[in-house]
Amino acid sequence: MNYQVAVAGGGPVGLWLAAELRRCGITVAVIEARTERDTRSRALTVHPRTIETFASRGVHHPFISGGLPLPGGHFGLLDSRLDFRRLSSPFPFTLSLPQERTEALLERQALELGATILRGHEVTGLSEGPDRVRVHLRTPDGPSRIEAAYLVGCDGSRSTVRDAAGIDFPGTPSTVLGWLGDVVLDEPPAPGHSCFGPTGALMAAPMPGGIHRLVGIAPRDITTTWPGDLTLEELRENVIAVAGTDFGMRDPLWLSRFGNATRLAAQYRRGRVFLAGDAAHQHFPAGGVGMNIGIQDAANLAWKLAATLNDWAPDTLLDTYHAERHPVGADLTETSRAQVALMTAFTPEGLALRGLFSQLIATLPELNDRLAAQVSSLAVTYPPTVTDAHRLTGTRAGDLAVDDNGLFSLLRADSYLLLDLTGSPGRPLHHLARPGLRVHTGTPRLLPDDWSGIRATLIRPDGHVAWASGDGRDTALVDDLTSVLATTHRK
């Protein structure tokens, strides 16, 4: 079987990647070892930038209607929670939505768009040729293989694709074990409840269906020794030690432990093989950012693969995937380590440090805003590819108000959007339309202050600014834009 792209891993990252590729007309096969979706949801939080990404394809409503919106998140389980309501986003909240439900929604999208999902199939190896990758499989019917122009490993922290491609995964081993229980609480705390003290840390998060997730760390969990599987009685003891009550816990759906092993792939691309999600970065699940960062990996990579395969962008565009996303992964791993330090600060000195940081977040709105934007991925900015780039280049565009619509309604997976904000249909920019580039003339309404004076902008399919200009001279504007298009589009 031949496909343009093969995706190893049918979790949220692989499924969003497959859906995006299908929106661009790319044939794709998702290879998933599980015969059915896992009912245990490792990820629970959907962050604002992920909702924005879904909204830019018009598929965000089922996620919002199926989740529980929460006004903020935490950083290192500090007492002062981050207030997401201050974020500049149409979705200034996090969604509590079990990964199983997220996967179900994303799988339905991928299938409806025409993706092939091969359940019960497992990647066992690969061999790369000059223009194809041969993917070796273990299937219910025995060994098999498929071929694709590119292979993307979205197959988790123990990625077979990463190992087969010979990509290093350096980092640090686990020294802390957190615990998790999805249980029924007869006397649940208020949403967003957390507590921290010398006896340990605890956070309680409501989930759809009347379930609560209890997550925490005790001082004895700072260890490299595996204590065995978590039991309900141990969870109860841990929660009582921290909170003074077990909240009437019963009927556990899932009990688990997790560590803080932290690693980052040395390369996100090697030849025709790419990595995304946990295959590229492993970290302690602080703040529920892992799945969200992985979906942003997929959003960055999908349109670049499609642009290359559809022959409207040069092959060098694929190199920008590592250049743009590897620094995001590095920031993720370092921020995760910092949060682990705060979440294990059980000594008097550690408690004093936590108190200081909590006070700073509570009294310095700019610190709250910076951390909230970082945790939610709204602050991600990519380096410009040309010199003397406008200050907006590489930033997230957001849902700019254009005419009676927002920018998200204008974005498409298969093309850049050249947005002429002068409102003049006779502008010379329209002759620049080509495969992979659409032109829209509109009148800006209530643009953010940092967009003041912008007359034209080029927005990438993933919603980041590729170029912007406030120059009022038509000739200078067109000449400047033409030089940018030379680096992103084939002539």
Side-chain angles (χ1 to χ4, degrees):
M1 294 182 286
N2 293 326
Y3 298 89
Q4 289 173 289
V5 177
V7 177
V13 178
L15 291 170
W16 182 251
L17 177 64
E20 284 287 89
L21 290 169
R22 286 302 305 144
R23 291 184 177 100
C24 301
I26 302 301
T27 59
V28 57
V30 178
I31 305 160
E32 172 52 55
R34 297 171 299 173
T35 57
E36 298 179 352
R37 283 190 303 276
D38 193 343
T39 58
R40 302 169 301 177
S41 294
R42 297 184 182 279
L44 183 60
T45 304
V46 181
H47 278 293
R49 182 55 183 157
T50 302
I51 307 174
E52 288 190 351
T53 299
F54 295 161
S56 71
R57 305 295 181 254
V59 298
H60 57 299
H61 296 294
F63 296 90
I64 294 176
S65 63
L68 297 174
L70 301 174
H74 75 88
F75 188 87
L77 275 179
L78 293 174
D79 291 339
S80 296
R81 292 179 63 82
L82 300 178
D83 186 357
F84 280 26
R85 293 171 297 183
R86 295 175 51 86
L87 292 172
S88 178
S89 171
F91 312 106
F93 51 82
T94 63
L95 278 179
S96 175
L97 184 66
Q99 180 177 328
E100 190 276 335
R101 180 58 181 159
T102 298
E103 281 190 20
L105 292 170
L106 294 176
E107 181 176 348
R108 186 196 317 171
Q109 286 182 35
L111 289 172
E112 289 177 349
L113 289 164
T116 298
I117 299 180
L118 303 173
R119 286 198 172 272
H121 289 57
E122 184 177 359
V123 175
T124 58
L126 62 91
S127 53
E128 186 174 346
D131 59 356
R132 307 291 290 175
V133 178
R134 180 173 293 173
V135 186
H136 303 281
L137 305 175
R138 181 184 298 115
T139 80
D141 299 322
S144 184
R145 69 186 184 214
I146 63 174
E147 292 189 1
Y150 298 101
L151 169 65
V152 185
C154 304
D155 50 342
S157 59
R158 299 178 182 178
S159 171
T160 300
V161 171
R162 186 186 63 237
D163 292 344
I167 298 176
D168 291 336
F169 200 39
T172 53
S174 179
T175 57
V176 174
L177 292 174
W179 34 264
L180 173 156
D182 289 347
V183 295
V184 175
L185 299 183
D186 290 330
E187 302 172 3
H193 174 83
S194 65
C195 49
F196 194 103
T199 58
L202 174 69
M203 181 175 66
M207 299 171 62
I211 305 300
H212 278 74
R213 172 161 293 180
L214 301 176
V215 184
I217 307 171
R220 67 173 179 271
D221 296 321
I222 305 175
T223 179
T224 58
T225 301
W226 179 256
D229 293 338
L230 182 70
T231 65
L232 180 61
E233 287 311 307
E234 183 183 352
L235 176 65
R236 191 188 310 277
E237 292 173 5
N238 289 343
V239 172
I240 291 175
V242 179
T245 176
D246 70 351
F247 303 109
M249 71 170 66
R250 58 181 172 84
D251 300 335
L253 296 182
W254 185 34
L255 302 172
S256 180
R257 300 187 197 273
F258 51 90
N260 69 321
T262 306
R263 298 182 175 87
L264 180 65
Q267 299 166 276
Y268 278 25
R269 178 193 186 187
R270 173 166 287 184
R272 294 184 169 273
V273 179
F274 298 81
L275 301 176
D278 291 347
H281 36 76
Q282 179 185 12
H283 57 94
F284 193 77
V289 299
M291 178 189 72
N292 295 273
I293 296 290
I295 289 175
Q296 294 306 308
D297 289 342
N300 184 288
L301 178 59
W303 70 268
K304 295 175 180 178
L305 287 171
T308 303
L309 288 165
N310 286 331
D311 204 36
W312 60 258
D315 296 343
T316 54
L317 180 64
L318 293 174
D319 292 329
T320 67
Y321 174 63
H322 172 89
E324 292 182 347
R325 294 305 297 176
H326 190 270
V328 176
D331 178 74
L332 167 66
T333 55
E334 289 307 295
T335 301
S336 173
R337 286 188 172 110
Q339 293 195 68
V340 169
L342 288 171
M343 287 189 285
T344 55
F346 300 119
T347 64
E349 294 79 11
L351 294 174
L353 178 64
R354 288 178 53 85
L356 173 61
F357 270 93
S358 288
Q359 183 180 21
L360 290 174
I361 290 175
T363 57
L364 296 175
E366 60 272 24
L367 178 57
N368 171 90
D369 296 352
R370 179 167 181 173
L371 289 175
Q374 181 180 14
V375 168
S376 64
S377 289
L378 296 179
V380 170
T381 299
Y382 299 133
T385 57
V386 295
T387 58
D388 300 324
H390 192 277
R391 56 184 167 75
L392 289 176
T393 303
T395 63
R396 154 191 158 271
D399 197 21
L400 303 174
V402 181
D403 297 326
D404 295 326
N405 302 306
L407 176 65
F408 295 162
S409 67
L410 300 174
L411 293 178
R412 282 177 40 179
D414 61 354
S415 62
Y416 281 73
L417 175 67
L418 177 53
L419 194 58
D420 181 345
L421 295 175
T422 66
S424 302
R427 297 275 293 167
L429 297 184
H430 283 261
H431 81 279
L432 294 170
R434 63 189 70 182
L437 175 62
R438 295 178 299 112
V439 182
H440 178 84
T441 299
T443 301
R445 301 182 187 277
L446 301 175
L447 293 184
D449 291 342
D450 53 353
W451 282 76
S452 177
I454 297 299
R455 292 173 58 82
T457 181
L458 184 68
I459 309 295
R460 302 175 359 167
D462 59 5
H464 282 258
V465 178
W467 169 87
S469 176
D471 198 315
R473 298 169 299 158
D474 290 347
T475 301
L477 188 150
V478 172
D479 288 346
D480 187 28
L481 177 57
T482 301
S483 67
V484 172
L485 293 177
T487 66
T488 59
H489 287 67
R490 295 187 189 277
K491 295 183 179 179

